[in-house]
């Protein structure tokens, strides 16, 4: 699949929530300095602008974003009531270098995994117990007669 993102998506290491347009809370699924993937309980209208408040350890970022897509993905049941679950992709607009750097610092990309050992190629040594084959052959001949 073609990756069209400006930078690598990073999933938060702990549950992180953002405030959308002042009155909705959404769980942050992953983020880049250019956008985010959210999970929320009400739909966002595609191509509409929204305000996003992201609380970081040492500062609060107030961003504007365009809703790229929003889809109903499921239903979650808790106790007596239930709740629809939506997933939305938003694209940050007007992000300056300082904001992008703050997001990158707060959500660093994961450390690369150590390279896997390359697959073994070439001949493989196999040890064959010839005596067991000879015994099996001899017992087979006795049973056949």
């Amino acid at each position: 699949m073609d990756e069209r993102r400006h930078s690598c998506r990073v999933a938060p290491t702990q549950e992180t929530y953002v405030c959308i347009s002042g009155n909705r809370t959404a769980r942050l699924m992953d983020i880049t300095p250019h956008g985010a993937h959210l999970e929320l309980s009400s739909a966002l209208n595609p191509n509409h602008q929204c305000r996003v408040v992201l609380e970081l350890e040492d500062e609060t970022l107030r961003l504007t974003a365009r809703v790229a897509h929003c889809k109903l993905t499921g239903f979650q049941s808790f106790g007596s009531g239930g709740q629809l679950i939506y997933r939305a992709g938003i694209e940050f607009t007007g992000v300056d270098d300082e904001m992008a750097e703050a997001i990158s610092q707060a959500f660093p990309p994961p450390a690369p995994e150590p390279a896997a050992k390359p697959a073994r190629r070439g001949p493989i040594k196999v040890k064959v117990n010839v005596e067991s084959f000879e015994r099996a052959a001899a017992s087979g001949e006795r049973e056949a007669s």
Side-chain angles (χ1 to χ4, degrees):
M1 185 157 103
D2 253 351
E3 186 64 47
R4 299 182 319 224
R5 285 168 183 43
H6 298 278
S7 51
C8 179
R9 293 191 221 184
V10 177
T13 56
Q14 58 191 17
E15 274 202 21
T16 303
Y17 292 88
V18 298
C19 184
I20 305 291
S21 296
N23 61 354
R24 296 182 193 178
T25 301
R27 185 164 70 105
L28 185 65
M29 304 301 288
D30 58 56
I31 190 167
T32 75
H34 306 282
H37 183 210
L38 308 173
E39 183 178 81
L40 60 163
S41 61
S42 59
L44 296 174
N45 293 326
N47 293 321
H48 279 78
Q49 294 289 323
C50 61
R51 293 180 316 278
V52 179
V53 177
L54 175 61
E55 299 280 341
L56 302 178
E57 282 186 22
D58 54 347
E59 67 181 307
T60 299
L61 292 181
R62 297 181 193 295
L63 307 158
T64 57
R66 179 188 70 82
V67 179
H69 63 84
C70 186
K71 296 178 184 173
L72 176 64
T73 58
F75 181 79
Q76 204 166 32
S77 177
F78 291 111
S80 62
Q83 163 179 342
L84 297 174
I85 303 296
Y86 293 88
R87 294 261 174 116
I90 59 173
E91 178 183 5
F92 299 139
T93 56
V95 174
D96 60 23
D97 292 339
E98 192 175 305
M99 288 178 173
E101 182 62 26
I103 292 170
S104 295
Q105 292 291 325
F107 302 98
E113 293 182 20
K117 286 186 175 181
R120 183 177 174 158
R121 298 178 188 265
I124 299 173
K125 288 184 179 179
V126 177
K127 194 172 190 178
V128 177
N129 186 348
V130 178
E131 291 176 7
S132 64
F133 282 115
E134 290 172 349
R135 280 194 301 263
S139 66
E141 288 173 3
R142 279 182 265 167
E143 291 177 8
S145 48

